[in-house]
């Protein structure tokens, strides 16, 4: 098979026979003589190299005659150069262990290789050694152990990474780049964790830039950027595989097995052509969501009022129960008495029976989330790459294809079951050490995904009339029995709670579909296959993203400084068939582009480094934006082992596809994007008006355009104030404030940072502090638009004197509940700032034991009174402490690692619910054993060993414990 592949590739690209220099050897630890696997061996000045195998051995062929120099490196060891003077030379390279990690090389901070010690901004890093030693179940989960990093768990397969505040599962302020490709969903504008990321077998390095990085990486590099770089098949060839299994343990779900397996195949066919393919598969059980609290909105900036039990309520709306939103208040009957009166009118109840029914609102009994999804968590990833070096030097042409398919759960305004989601990326890139030119396409398909809230709502709406009629009849029968037994109407009222409970039980037993039955499954399948949210829950999406970017470094052309220039272009093609966006009549296309330059210069014996960057970006619907960055760093000490740095930079974020073009009735509110061409494109479904409205001549139903949300609405806080006054007996129309919100525009941040890094023998220290000032912060505001009438009270309804006389139509609408909540997308005019800092210590103690300690402080500065309706959603603990302790070689071939994380409580704000998230302490640990003759590493570990469950946000599944064993061959 290998020979056949070689022939096929040769036919495709051709080959040129040239003289070969063959170098072989071994890489070992200088201290112990133990082999070092995974060391990078490169020819200086070229992008040609290889890596050492599991036994530390390597072989390198190069179409170049000696002499030349090899550079041997690996994270955690000092770089070493070896002179090669003859062909077929065999060398043994002894690497000294680095005293600290500050000499490790990073690229992302300045788009050019530099030591962490000299990086102009804060940066965190993870490599293959740290992946081996992580105590987390996966390398992606292990990111949470990095200083200043938050990982919020949406579901078992969907983790959201964030830094420096304003966390959300829809994290559009944080960028994730996988081999240079933006990994975000084109429709959602945020990445789905590692669902379409990278197999841990193929990870070379992970770098993370906290904070604004727009000067180099453009729009949306606002809160930070995560860079994942894969192994190059020219340098890392061979077959690697792993299998991991274990259990997840949660009170709501019990103990469930999971399986995670992967394989990577890479082969260097010649000095010109190499290829690789990797596949990974994960299957397990989602964290079950069993939050049955009711969250009653109070006001922005404060947690909701939490009702933990239904008690004697007849109408309720529990968080992870769907379908209880179907209430009589939303029907022409308005309440239970109204149902009774209707049944009387058609002869279904005896005359006068409705007098026994209270004017209570009643909601249907909903379905638990566990009834509406199978909680099957699954992820499959395929990555294929072809690498071609036409001149057998550092010029490389790469074709890369990534495919991801899976099931997960996403929480936004509602909870969404993402099933058979498929996303693919295709990239073509040309690069060498000084430039790259790449273009790629991202294409996604929502598959069988659906909104679980609407699944419950529309299943209950389908037979709502029958259920409410049965309920009213059962209540009336019970009340009649009390009267028939000699009781009075007062006795009926006193027994109201028992009558409601009996009526609900009877209606559920006779009308509500029972989960697990054939009838239930049939109804659920019909609803989740129907994209019309009036009757179904399915959402469709086949949105595409087209992107290209280029960068050139003049390092070999200009001597006095290192100068880079670059640019990017992107086009979105929104295609949801009207289920998410207002693309009813075809895809919506819009684009954005940008260009940047950077200059870097060293002074004073290369101790002082100046970095200056400038970027310009322009997007459809918005004015252009300029993002500067300036930084200075200075190295101290005889060996330049200490460094101080300061930076000023700006960042910006373009409004997302949803901010501009969404048109979605989410049940609690209608979400309408504020792009000018979106407002008239959206029209709501028919909205029923009250009987009072119809009595004074208003239509039985109306439809509102998106323009009503932005041009004819009241603020939510003023509605609350009006309602509170009315409940106290005072009707004061002056309390209603017109919502005057501008259309959304890009938000900006000005970031200031100072830092200090130092190496003191085996001890490394990293301190940083930052201050961010935000302008035009993008967010959501809820407004209420009357179903009829103008909010300026300019249209008057001539009511008779006994009904109050001439009254503004909008006031009649508000007084009778004839209004529609909208969620609008706009910018806050308030002054918003955040500040914080971190300190990290790492050292080796007692020989080979490693210990790390870091503390992060994050504070939000916002005067809520300056913008009462704005929910900023900082969603970040003020204090976090993380500790690590381990030894890679406790005894021969045996290592371990322990990670402890603590954070204090914090407020989580979202369109789903606002609540205080409790403080937590989480302990992860692992033990690993290396079997050299099998080229294998065995690992046993667990996450959240204490077993105390916690949630990242209200409504999500609480996170229990996870225990695993793994076997990795040729890592």
């Amino acid at each position: 098979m290998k020979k056949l592949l070689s022939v096929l590739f040769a036919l495709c690209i051709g080959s040129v026979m040239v003289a070969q220099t063959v170098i072989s050897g071994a890489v070992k630890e200088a201290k112990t003589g133990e082999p070092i696997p995974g060391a990078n061996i490169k020819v200086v000045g070229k992008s040609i190299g290889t890596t050492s195998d599991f036994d530390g051995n390597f072989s390198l062929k190069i179409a170049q005659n000696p002499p030349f120099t090899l550079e041997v490196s690996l994270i955690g060891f000092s770089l070493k150069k070896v002179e090669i003077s003859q062909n077929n030379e065999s060398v043994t390279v002894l690497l000294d262990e680095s005293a600290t990690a500050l000499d490790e090389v990073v690229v992302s901070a300045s788009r050019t290789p530099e030591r962490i010690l000299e990086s102009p901004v804060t940066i965190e890093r993870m490599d293959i050694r740290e992946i081996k030693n992580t105590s987390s179940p996966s390398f992606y989960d292990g990111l949470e152990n990095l200083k200043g990093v938050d990982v919020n768990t949406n579901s078992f397969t969907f983790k959201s990474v964030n830094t420096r505040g304003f966390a959300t599962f829809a994290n559009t302020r944080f960028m994730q780049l996988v081999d240079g490709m933006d990994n975000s969903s084109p429709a959602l504008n945020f990445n789905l964790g590692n669902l379409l990321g990278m197999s841990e077998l193929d990870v070379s390095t992970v770098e993370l830039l906290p904070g604004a990085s727009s000067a180099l990486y453009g729009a949306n590099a606002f809160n930070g950027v995560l860079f994942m770089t894969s192994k190059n098949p020219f340098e890392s060839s061979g077959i690697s595989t792993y299998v991991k299994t274990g259990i997840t343990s949660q009170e709501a779900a019990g103990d469930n097995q999971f399986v995670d397996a992967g394989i990577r195949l890479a082969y260097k066919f010649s000095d010109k052509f190499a290829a690789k393919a990797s596949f990974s598969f994960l299957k397990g059980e989602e964290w079950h969501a069993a939050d049955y609290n009711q969250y009653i909105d109070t006001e922005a900036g404060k947690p909701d009022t939490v009702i933990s039990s239904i008690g004697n309520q007849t109408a309720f709306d529990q968080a992870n129960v769907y379908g209880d939103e179907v209430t009589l208040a939303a029907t022409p009957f308005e309440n239970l008495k109204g149902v009774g009166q209707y049944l009387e009118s058609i002869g279904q109840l005896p005359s006068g029976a409705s007098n026994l029914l209270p004017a209570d609102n009643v909601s249907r009994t909903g379905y638990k989330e566990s009834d509406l999804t199978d909680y099957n968590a699954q992820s499959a990833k395929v990555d294929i790459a072809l690498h071609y070096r036409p001149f057998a030097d550092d010029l490389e042409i790469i074709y890369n294809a990534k495919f991801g398919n899976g099931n997960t759960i996403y929480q936004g305004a509602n909870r969404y079951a993402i099933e058979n989601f498929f996303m693919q990326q295709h990239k073509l890139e040309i690069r060498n050490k000084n430039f790259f030119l790449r273009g790629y396409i991202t294409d996604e398909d929502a598959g069988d995904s659906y909104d679980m809230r609407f699944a419950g709502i529309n299943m209950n709406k389908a037979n709502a009339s029958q259920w409410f009629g049965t309920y009213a009849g059962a209540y009336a029968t019970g009340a009649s029995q009390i009267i028939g037994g000699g009781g009075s109407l007062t006795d009926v009222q006193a027994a109201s709670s028992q009558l409601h409970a009996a009526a609900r039980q009877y209606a559920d037993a006779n009308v509500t579909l029972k989960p697990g039955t054939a009838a239930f499954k049939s109804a659920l399948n019909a609803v989740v296959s129907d994209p019309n949210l009036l009757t179904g829950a399915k959402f469709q999406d086949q949105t595409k993203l087209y992107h290209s970017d280029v960068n050139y470094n003049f390092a070999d052309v200009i001597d006095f400084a290192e100068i880079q220039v670059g640019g990017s272009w992107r086009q979105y093609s929104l295609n949801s068939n009207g289920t998410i966006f207002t693309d009813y009549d075809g895809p919506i296309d819009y684009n954005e582009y940008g260009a940047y330059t950077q200059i870097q210069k060293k002074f004073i014996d290369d101790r002082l480094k100046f970095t200056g960057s400038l970027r310009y970006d322009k997007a459809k619907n918005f004015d252009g934006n300029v993002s500067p960055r300036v930084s200075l760093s200075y190295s101290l000490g005889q060996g330049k082992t200490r460094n101080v740095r300061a930076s000023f930079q700006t960042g910006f974020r373009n409004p997302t596809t949803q901010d501009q073009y969404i048109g979605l009735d989410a049940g609690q509110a209608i979400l309408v994007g504020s792009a000018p061409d979106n407002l008239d494109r959206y029209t709501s479904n028919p909205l029923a008006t009250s009987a009072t409205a119809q009595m004074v001549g208003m239509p039985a139903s109306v439809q509102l355009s998106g323009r009503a949300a932005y041009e004819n609405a009241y603020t939510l806080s003023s509605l609350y104030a009006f309602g509170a006054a009315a409940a106290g007996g005072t009707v004061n129309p002056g309390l209603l404030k017109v919502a005057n919100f501008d259309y959304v525009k890009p938000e900006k941040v000005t970031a200031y940072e100072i830092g200090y890094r130092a190496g003191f023998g085996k001890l490394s220290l990293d301190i940083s502090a930052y201050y961010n000032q935000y302008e035009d912060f993008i967010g959501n505001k809820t407004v209420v638009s009357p179903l009829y009438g103008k909010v300026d009270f300019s249209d008057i309804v001539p009511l008779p004197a006994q009904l109050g006389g001439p009254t503004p139509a909008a006031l009649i609408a508000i007084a009778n509940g004839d209004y529609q909540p909208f969620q609008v997308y706009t910018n806050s005019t308030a002054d918003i700032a955040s500040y914080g800092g971190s300190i990290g210590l790492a050292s080796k103690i007692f020989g080979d034991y490693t210990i790390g300690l870091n503390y992060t402080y994050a504070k939000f500065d916002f005067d809520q009174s300056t913008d009462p309706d704005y929910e900023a959603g900082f969603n970040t603990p003020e204090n976090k402490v993380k500790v690590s302790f381990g030894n890679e070689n406790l005894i021969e071939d045996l290592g371990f690692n322990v990670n402890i994380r603590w954070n204090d409580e914090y407020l989580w704000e979202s369109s789903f619910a606002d609540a205080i998230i409790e403080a937590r302490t989480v302990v992860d640990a692992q033990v690993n054993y290396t079997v050299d003759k099998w080229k294998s590493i065995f690992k046993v570990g667990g996450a959240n060993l204490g077993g105390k469950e916690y949630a990242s946000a209200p409504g999500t599944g609480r996170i229990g414990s996870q225990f695993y064993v793994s076997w990795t061959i040729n890592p």
Side-chain angles (χ1 to χ4, degrees), residues 325-524:
E325 298 88 348
V326 178
T327 68
L328 285 173
T331 70
F333 304 120
E334 296 187 354
N335 53 52
L336 192 61
K337 182 179 285 291
V339 176
Q341 292 169 342
Y342 171 75
L343 293 176
E344 277 187 24
S345 70
I346 62 173
Q348 296 294 313
L349 279 182
S351 177
S354 63
N355 294 328
L356 300 176
L357 302 179
D360 292 341
N361 184 27
V362 174
S363 68
R364 285 209 59 174
T365 305
Y367 294 103
K368 292 181 179 180
E369 182 173 292
S370 56
D371 297 329
L372 300 173
T373 180
D374 59 11
Y375 282 129
N376 175 26
Q378 186 171 298
S379 171
K381 295 189 286 283
V382 176
D383 191 333
I384 300 170
L386 308 177
H387 293 241
Y388 178 48
R389 293 175 175 174
F391 308 112
D393 58 11
D394 66 344
L395 180 66
E396 192 165 352
I397 302 172
I398 304 168
Y399 167 72
N400 187 198
K402 293 180 180 291
F403 305 91
N405 173 261
N407 301 339
T408 189
I409 290 177
Y410 160 60
Q411 180 170 303
N414 297 335
R415 296 267 294 173
Y416 301 89
I418 309 298
E419 294 196 355
N420 295 322
F421 176 84
F422 178 76
M423 193 158 97
Q424 59 182 318
Q425 292 186 295
H426 298 270
K427 178 186 72 171
L428 185 63
E429 181 173 6
I430 305 172
R431 66 181 308 133
N432 72 2
K433 66 176 182 177
N434 288 327
F435 89 96
F436 66 78
L437 170 64
R438 72 169 70 98
Y440 61 88
I441 178 175
T442 305
D443 183 6
E444 68 183 3
D445 188 329
D448 301 316
S449 302
Y450 59 95
D451 184 325
M452 291 188 284
R453 186 168 185 263
F454 273 94
I457 287 173
N458 286 322
M459 286 184 67
N460 270 347
K461 279 174 60 178
N463 57 7
S465 296
Q466 181 185 1
W467 190 90
F468 285 121
T470 302
Y471 187 112
Y475 191 105
T477 299
S480 297
Q481 290 172 350
I482 293 175
I483 297 295
S488 65
L489 189 59
T490 301
D491 295 325
V492 171
Q493 294 170 346
S496 178
S497 295
Q498 293 86 350
L499 291 172
H500 273 298
R504 181 176 297 278
Q505 183 179 20
Y506 184 80
D508 285 341
N510 289 276
V511 180
T512 301
L513 297 176
K514 304 301 182 292
T517 63
F520 175 88
K521 292 177 181 178
S522 177
L524 179 61

Side-chain angles (χ1 to χ4, degrees), residues 130-139 141-142 145 156 200 242-249 256-260 282 896-899 923-928 937-945 961-968:
E130 289 166 311
I131 291 171
K132 170 194 169 184
N133 292 313
T134 184
S135 58
S136 301
S138 73
F139 85 92
D141 293 348
N145 295 315
F156 185 66
E200 65 182 54
Y242 76 92
V243 62
K244 186 183 303 178
T245 189
I247 63 168
T248 55
S249 180
N256 294 280
Q257 184 181 11
F258 75 92
V259 176
D260 182 8
L282 169 67
F896 79 96
N897 195 42
V898 179
N899 290 97
V923 179
D924 303 343
Q926 62 86 11
V927 176
N928 64 81
I937 297 175
F938 295 89
K939 183 188 285 190
V940 178
N944 192 17
L945 294 177
S961 299
Q962 186 174 359
F963 305 95
Y964 63 90
V965 295
S966 69
W967 178 13
T968 304

Side-chain angles (χ1 to χ4, degrees), residues 38 40 42 73-75 104-108 116 123-131 139 143 146 177-180 198-208 226-232 235-236 276:
N40 300 302
K42 284 190 174 184
S73 64
L74 182 66
I75 301 303
E104 296 173 6
V105 175
V106 293
V107 177
S108 57
I116 289 180
I123 188 167
E124 301 296 324
R125 193 178 194 278
M126 176 185 282
D127 68 348
I128 53 178
R129 291 183 70 194
E130 289 166 311
I131 291 171
F139 85 92
L143 295 172
L146 298 178
L177 299 176
V178 179
D179 284 333
M198 189 177 290
S199 165
E200 65 182 54
L201 291 172
D202 201 29
V203 177
S204 176
T205 61
V206 178
E207 297 179 11
L208 192 147
L226 176 66
F227 305 83
M228 290 192 280
T229 304
S230 67
K231 298 173 182 176
N232 190 308
E235 300 164 4
S236 298
K276 67 175 181 179

Side-chain angles (χ1 to χ4, degrees), residues 663-868:
L664 176 65
D665 186 342
Q668 295 174 317
I670 296 175
L671 285 54
V672 178
S674 69
D677 57 341
N678 194 58
L679 302 184
D680 295 320
R681 189 183 287 122
Y682 179 79
T683 302
S684 74
N685 294 315
L687 303 168
T689 60
S690 64
T692 301
Q694 296 172 48
M695 183 181 68
V696 299
M698 299 300 172
S701 66
V702 299
Q703 290 180 282
L704 299 178
S705 75
R707 200 167 288 280
Y710 292 87
E711 299 178 5
N712 195 57
Y714 296 112
T715 64
L716 183 63
S717 58
S718 73
L719 178 72
Y720 286 154
F722 175 81
T730 302
V731 178
N732 182 3
L735 293 174
L736 291 170
K737 302 299 181 185
V738 176
N740 292 313
F741 297 132
D742 293 332
Y743 302 153
V744 70
K745 57 186 176 182
E747 65 184 15
K748 301 175 183 178
V749 60
T750 302
Y752 305 88
E753 181 180 318
I754 57 173
Y756 175 75
R757 295 188 186 96
F760 304 98
K762 293 184 177 181
L763 174 69
S764 66
L765 171 68
D766 191 349
I767 305 174
S768 65
Y770 66 90
Y771 179 82
N772 294 334
Q773 182 70 47
Y774 300 93
E775 180 183 352
D776 297 325
F777 208 77
I778 295 174
N780 304 125
K781 295 188 179 181
T782 302
V783 300
V784 289
S785 180
L787 300 187
Y788 43 87
K790 297 179 180 178
V791 292
D792 61 1
F793 294 157
S794 61
D795 52 343
I796 306 297
V797 178
L799 297 178
Q802 61 269 31
L803 294 179
T807 305
L811 186 59
I812 297 174
I814 295 298
N816 286 278
D818 289 341
Y819 54 81
Q820 172 61 50
F822 281 92
Q823 182 174 286
V824 299
Y825 297 80
T826 186
N827 303 83
S828 175
T829 57
D831 291 330
I832 300 175
S834 68
Y835 55 91
S838 63
I839 179 169
L841 294 165
S843 183
K844 282 206 166 183
I845 59 175
F846 309 128
D848 291 330
Y849 288 90
T850 59
I851 186 169
L853 171 66
N854 66 75
Y855 166 75
T856 301
Y857 175 76
K859 186 69 174 177
F860 178 44
D861 186 6
F862 172 45
D863 183 355
Q864 189 73 56
S865 65
T866 63
D867 197 346

Side-chain angles (χ1 to χ4, degrees), residues 185-201:
S185 158
L188 303 175
N189 290 164
F190 58 85
N191 68 77
L192 300 176
N194 201 34
L195 197 65
L196 182 72
M198 189 177 290
S199 165
E200 65 182 54
L201 291 172

Side-chain angles (χ1 to χ4, degrees), residues 254-276:
D255 294 342
N256 294 280
Q257 184 181 11
F258 75 92
V259 176
D260 182 8
I263 186 170
R264 178 183 185 270
L265 304 96
Y267 188 71
K268 179 181 175 183
F269 292 88
S270 69
D271 288 341
K272 291 188 174 184
F273 186 75
K276 67 175 181 179

Side-chain angles (χ1 to χ4, degrees), residues 620-640:
K620 179 185 176 183
N621 298 328
F622 309 110
D623 296 332
N625 188 80
V626 176
S627 305
R629 180 177 84 163
V630 176
S631 66
L632 289 170
S633 66
Y634 188 82
S635 296
L636 304 166
Q638 184 175 357
K640 300 179 183 178

